[in-house]
Amino acid sequence: MSELRFPLPDVGEGLTEAEIVQWRVAPGDRVELDQVFVEIETAKSLVELPSPVEGVVSSLLVEEGSTVDVGTAILVITTDDGGAASSAPAPTAAETDAADLVADTAGSVSSEGPRPVAEAESGGAVLVGHGSTGPAKSRRTRHPAPGGAHETLAPKQPRAAATEVVVTPHATGERDPRLPVLAKPPIRKLAKDLGVSLANVTPTGPLGEVTRDDIVREASQTSVFRNIQTPEYPEEREYRVPVKGVRKAIAQAMVQSAYSAPHVSLFVDVDATRTMEFVKRLKASTDFAGVKVSPLLIMAKAMVWAVRRNPTVNAQWTDDEIIVKHYVNLGVAAATPRGLLVPNVKEAQEMSLVELATALEKLTITARDGKTQPSDMQGGTITVTNIGVFGMDTGTPILNPGEVGIVALGTIKQKPWVVDGEVRPRFVTTIGASFDHRVVDGDVASRFVADIASILEEPALLLE
């Protein structure tokens, strides 16, 4: 037997620190190969770290909420017999579904101070990647611990009886308060990120479970300042948020962009009536069944089309040279519970309209669920931000660092518009765009924005 110290890895390119968000294990717990044992937050995303060995957790060396440098020891595991694979029986599909829906009991992760251990050979074990057996199937379980309950991931075990939880469809959409809240782990994670109490959510799932849409709907009905306005905190006059993680990265990036790139901005009003009609037809098409279609899809496709006609807006300034890129990694600014993220769709210029719609939907859901990986936010070439979803007509967007162009799509709503000499109600939007004036001259910027506007006015041009 040996005790192994494991250092915090660099899960992205050049990241120097990360915050310990949540331990999934506690001292005394047994961990299996590839079992997720901790969730960390870097400047770019939430990341789950899997164990490269089997063994028993000796001690947790870092408390939750602490920010530590890459390379700092965070965990000690005692291994035995070379980390033989677990022989626990695999669960059936029915047991897996039932386990995923059972409500967790409230509790907190227990903490135990670091215990001295001898340094040992780790055999090349690192806290990234998966072992040779592939990802281990696991579910959340709770074990009692001093001072409260703690949460860990353990191998799934067959449930002793099928009558542990009685699930009854709710015809009225109201939940019986005597029954546990039914929600799968990703839905619970989303509720936690959005500050939504599952007890307050009306479930609409077929088995009475809470769905993603239920969480989003509840969150949208709650004030952004709910933590200040609740009667539980009447004495609080200020609310302070530590500047770290994603918020710190956003601040640094925006300051760098604003003070290093000379921004120039353009705006144009557009008759988007035909775009709205086109979106309606796509939604009714069998080719787009099950895929989200919105004006943002047409905007994204229009940008890719306009980049091909004006390639210098899809470039990078390096002081020594301008790198014009003949591929489009289209960034999409996404407001998430963790802050503003800009993941990008790789090689968007190669995608059909259906493929682009699918990629945008996946990107949005992943960002909203807090699962965006660092690689998804690297290598962007140009960005679109949809401020129209917040009811804004337009704005002056700040460039994503490393890029020379960003376009904002404003809200689309009916306004009086002159058509053939007559004033008619039309769906109108405003496009706002910013460029790095060191790379993009006014004429190029104007042609680029005009090309996007022409597609929104007549999306049939995309089919030519």
Side-chain angles (χ1 to χ4, degrees):
M1 299 178 66
S2 61
E3 289 189 324
L4 307 179
R5 287 178 180 263
F6 294 100
L8 177 70
D10 177 3
V11 294
E13 294 184 6
L15 295 177
T16 60
E17 64 181 19
E19 177 188 348
I20 304 299
V21 175
Q22 180 182 23
W23 285 108
R24 302 284 184 83
V25 296
D29 287 346
R30 181 170 186 83
V31 292
E32 306 297 331
L33 184 67
D34 285 335
Q35 176 182 328
V36 173
F37 62 86
V38 68
E39 185 179 74
I40 66 172
E41 180 178 31
T42 70
K44 297 183 177 180
S45 65
L46 286 174
V47 179
E48 295 176 331
L49 298 183
S51 174
V53 298
E54 288 187 351
V56 176
V57 177
S58 298
S59 60
L60 309 179
L61 304 181
V62 180
E63 295 182 354
E64 290 183 354
S66 299
T67 299
V68 296
D69 294 334
V70 168
T72 302
I74 61 174
L75 176 80
V76 179
I77 295 179
T78 300
T79 61
D80 54 355
D81 300 327
S86 171
S87 59
T92 65
E95 290 165 348
T96 300
D97 291 341
D100 285 343
L101 282 176
V102 173
D104 290 334
T105 58
S108 59
V109 180
S110 67
S111 61
E112 180 175 313
R115 295 181 297 179
V117 297
E119 292 291 347
E121 294 287 329
S122 66
V126 293
L127 292 182
V128 291
H130 291 289
S132 59
T133 60
K137 293 182 179 180
S138 58
R139 69 178 175 87
R140 298 176 185 266
T141 58
R142 301 276 182 169
H143 303 288
H150 72 263
E151 182 180 59
T152 182
L153 287 174
K156 293 181 180 176
Q157 301 291 340
R159 304 189 70 82
T163 57
E164 287 187 28
V165 177
V166 179
V167 178
T168 305
H170 297 266
T172 63
E174 296 183 355
R175 185 179 68 84
D176 187 338
R178 296 171 297 177
L179 295 178
V181 178
L182 302 183
K184 292 185 176 180
I187 304 303
R188 293 179 178 277
K189 175 66 167 57
L190 177 61
K192 178 181 177 182
D193 288 342
L194 295 180
V196 172
S197 171
L198 288 173
N200 297 332
V201 178
T202 300
T204 61
L207 297 178
E209 74 273 19
V210 175
T211 67
R212 175 179 281 104
D213 288 342
D214 297 336
I215 297 296
V216 174
R217 181 170 55 253
E218 177 68 21
S220 67
Q221 296 171 353
T222 305
S223 170
V224 174
F225 301 102
R226 56 185 176 276
N227 290 333
I228 304 176
Q229 297 175 350
T230 53
E232 298 176 322
Y233 305 103
E235 74 282 1
E236 288 195 8
R237 292 171 57 83
E238 297 178 341
Y239 180 62
R240 303 192 180 195
V241 180
V243 179
K244 59 182 181 179
V246 172
R247 178 53 54 191
K248 184 176 182 179
I250 292 171
Q252 293 173 341
M254 293 299 97
V255 170
Q256 174 193 346
S257 177
Y259 286 95
S260 63
H263 287 55
V264 60
S265 299
L266 301 173
F267 309 93
V268 63
D269 293 334
V270 181
D271 179 359
T273 303
R274 287 196 173 98
T275 283
M276 299 301 287
E277 295 171 349
F278 189 46
V279 167
K280 185 177 181 179
R281 291 199 300 272
L282 292 180
K283 288 182 177 179
S285 171
T286 56
D287 293 337
F288 288 82
V291 180
K292 182 178 179 180
V293 179
S294 70
L296 179 62
L297 170 62
I298 311 306
M299 180 72 171
K301 193 66 174 177
M303 285 183 61
V304 174
W305 182 82
V307 161
R308 188 167 62 245
R309 293 164 56 90
N310 308 273
T312 55
V313 302
N314 192 57
Q316 180 181 0
W317 172 273
T318 69
D319 286 332
D320 297 322
E321 59 184 355
I322 296 173
I323 305 174
V324 179
K325 302 175 181 181
H326 294 156
Y327 59 92
V328 180
N329 289 347
L330 182 62
V332 180
T336 75
R338 299 174 55 241
L340 178 67
L341 301 180
V342 190
N344 59 78
V345 177
K346 311 294 186 187
E347 304 293 341
Q349 81 284 354
E350 301 292 340
M351 294 182 176
S352 66
L353 204 56
V354 173
E355 292 171 337
L356 184 57
T358 302
L360 288 172
E361 182 176 24
K362 179 181 178 181
L363 177 150
T364 303
I365 292 176
T366 300
R368 188 174 61 192
D369 290 348
K371 298 297 183 181
T372 301
Q373 297 301 304
S375 59
D376 294 332
M377 292 186 286
Q378 296 168 353
T381 62
I382 194 168
T383 295
V384 59
T385 177
N386 184 9
I387 60 176
V389 295
F390 305 110
M392 297 296 101
D393 292 331
T394 190
T396 306
I398 295 180
L399 293 166
N400 197 29
E403 301 173 14
V404 302
I406 182 171
V407 182
L409 175 64
T411 184
I412 301 177
K413 56 188 177 183
Q414 284 196 323
K415 293 182 179 180
W417 193 264
V418 178
V419 180
D420 297 330
E422 297 181 0
V423 177
R424 301 178 185 177
R426 306 288 285 182
F427 284 100
V428 177
T429 188
T430 301
I431 298 174
S434 295
F435 303 91
D436 186 337
H437 217 335
R438 295 173 299 181
V439 179
V440 184
D441 294 332
D443 60 332
V444 177
S446 298
R447 285 198 299 268
F448 176 69
V449 173
D451 283 342
I452 295 174
S454 67
I455 295 297
L456 295 183
E457 290 176 346
E458 185 47 82
L461 291 174
L462 292 174
L463 306 178
E464 294 182 352

